[in-house]
Amino acid sequence: SLGLVGSEMCIRDRFWFTWPIAVIATLPGFRQLADFGYRLIAKNRHCINGACAIDFHEHRPKPANPLFAWLVLIFLLTVAIATGLIFTEIPAWLWMWILAGSLWVSFKWMNFIREGGFKRVSKFFAFWIGTDPAAFRKDRITEAKDGTAWKSGVAFVIIGLVLLLTILPGIDGPLASGWVGVSTMLCLCHFGAFALLAVLWRTFGFDVEPIMREPWKADSLAEFWGPRWNRAFSDWGRLWIFRPLFRKLGLVYGTLAGFFASGIAHELVVSLPAGGGFGLPTAYFMLQGVGVLVQRRVPALSNRFLTLLIVLIPAPILFHPPFIRAVFNPMTDALLTLLHLKTP
């Protein structure tokens, strides 16, 4: 409550003009009324100055049957794993895409049914690379949005094409070639084509956020891994891992569980098709999770330069040498051969 009951004498002695409040505080039922008012204000404290206009407390419905949603993920992932184990003649990079595709479809499906399915979400959600259907809710479709972000997307596509057509074919050394290949894919797809796709959907009235939102501007690891880097995963992890465990176990366990889930997902997509490097992607993301908690505890460590260092320096244990040699390089070699930029 407002804390007036039991302290009215202190208030009256120190500030004589507050005696009416002290008298009111002694009336029957005032404590219950004050408690109710406090809870109401606390619940809506973020609505001051129009903050609720950006859906700070946006209602996200719980899935009708969360167990069924998890079973879909387990089933699709089991099929993808079994595909590579049974059909051993398929290239490791193709198995990687099968595994990644099973996770992506599962994440989209789980968020889709959580949002209410076709009753609330437009069918066009199926054609968006992200996994959060909120922008495709039928009650959110509006007029065309600002589409000026296309310039950045086009710029990254051009950079990616330059890397692919002129630089990547002439690089010697498996690790150097692999990292240039990773950079090429990020520019062409994540920062390029996917950004242009976001612009397209915004022009149709779907207020989507790019899955990569200038991550180099992140001032903390929480900002980097949350709203700025690969929202296709973080939008799922936030709803299905972090929030449920945060409510039950607190911030520390919820944060570490979210990063552990990201580590397991990368073990499946990176280490499993490579047949090596197991544990390294999980170690990388657990390090990031610890970094998030440390920056929360010591705000002075939250700055742009230190954040990028923590992300980039240990990156070689995420995309480890077995993955580069056995999965990524054969994939880029196949692409360059297809484009007649490299002889088989």
Side-chain angles (χ1 to χ4, degrees):
S1 71
L2 297 178
L4 296 177
V5 179
S7 61
E8 61 271 12
M9 292 299 295
C10 178
I11 296 175
R12 186 173 57 196
D13 291 341
R14 291 179 177 270
F15 307 100
W16 62 268
F17 53 85
T18 62
W19 68 266
I21 299 177
V23 173
I24 294 173
T26 62
L27 296 177
F30 179 80
R31 179 186 295 273
Q32 291 77 10
L33 181 62
D35 285 340
F36 172 78
Y38 174 80
R39 289 193 298 269
L40 183 63
I41 293 173
K43 182 178 180 180
N44 296 278
R45 64 189 182 277
H46 297 288
C47 292
I48 299 174
N49 296 328
C52 285
I54 59 174
D55 295 327
F56 190 94
H57 286 295
E58 178 190 4
H59 174 65
R60 306 302 294 266
K62 294 183 178 180
N65 192 344
L67 177 60
F68 174 72
W70 282 105
L71 289 177
V72 170
L73 170 62
I74 295 172
F75 171 75
L76 291 179
L77 193 56
T78 301
V79 172
I81 294 173
T83 300
L85 295 177
I86 296 173
F87 302 100
T88 56
E89 68 278 3
I90 66 173
W93 59 265
L94 180 57
W95 191 19
M96 175 195 70
W97 284 113
I98 294 173
L99 291 163
S102 69
L103 289 174
W104 179 72
V105 171
S106 300
F107 293 165
K108 283 183 70 74
W109 168 254
M110 293 173 75
N111 285 349
F112 173 73
I113 62 172
R114 186 187 186 95
E115 198 66 42
F118 285 114
K119 292 183 179 180
R120 288 168 54 92
V121 181
S122 167
K123 59 182 178 296
F124 293 112
F125 171 60
F127 302 97
W128 166 233
I129 195 66
T131 61
D132 187 358
F136 289 85
R137 274 174 29 190
K138 296 177 181 178
D139 59 346
R140 281 191 168 191
I141 303 174
T142 59
E143 67 279 359
K145 303 292 182 180
D146 178 31
T148 57
W150 67 268
K151 297 179 181 179
S152 174
V154 170
F156 275 107
V157 168
I158 293 174
I159 294 172
L161 289 175
V162 170
L163 290 173
L164 175 65
L165 301 178
T166 63
I167 298 178
L168 186 58
I171 293 182
D172 294 325
L175 293 183
S177 177
W179 282 104
V180 173
V182 169
S183 302
T184 301
M185 184 184 70
L186 288 174
C187 290
L188 278 176
C189 299
H190 296 75
F191 294 109
F194 296 164
L196 294 176
L197 182 60
V199 173
L200 176 65
W201 283 122
R202 288 176 67 84
T203 60
F204 289 143
F206 299 99
D207 195 14
V208 300
E209 290 284 348
I211 65 168
M212 297 290 199
R213 198 167 62 101
E214 299 180 313
W216 50 86
K217 293 184 178 181
D219 292 320
S220 68
L221 289 169
E223 182 184 357
F224 183 94
W225 294 111
R228 290 192 178 274
W229 182 269
N230 195 11
R231 294 186 57 155
F233 178 85
S234 62
D235 286 337
W236 173 85
R238 183 181 67 257
L239 294 175
W240 291 90
I241 304 293
F242 173 75
R243 285 186 180 178
L245 293 180
F246 168 74
R247 296 189 184 103
K248 294 181 180 180
L249 302 177
L251 176 65
V252 173
Y253 290 103
T255 299
L256 293 179
F259 280 97
F260 180 76
S262 184
I264 296 301
H266 284 79
E267 296 284 359
L268 292 169
V269 175
V270 174
S271 299
L272 183 59
F278 293 100
L280 294 179
T282 302
Y284 174 83
F285 281 104
M286 294 307 293
L287 174 64
Q288 301 302 310
V290 171
V292 169
L293 297 174
V294 171
Q295 285 187 334
R296 287 183 182 274
R297 182 64 62 89
V298 187
L301 298 178
S302 297
N303 61 74
R304 193 168 301 178
F305 177 73
L306 184 58
T307 294
L308 292 178
L309 284 182
I310 298 174
V311 169
L312 294 176
I313 289 178
I317 70 172
L318 172 60
F319 299 115
H320 44 67
F323 170 74
I324 295 295
R325 291 191 177 97
V327 180
F328 204 86
N329 283 349
M331 180 182 70
T332 56
D333 288 344
L335 178 59
L336 293 175
T337 301
L338 180 65
L339 296 174
H340 302 288
L341 297 173
K342 190 173 184 178
T343 56

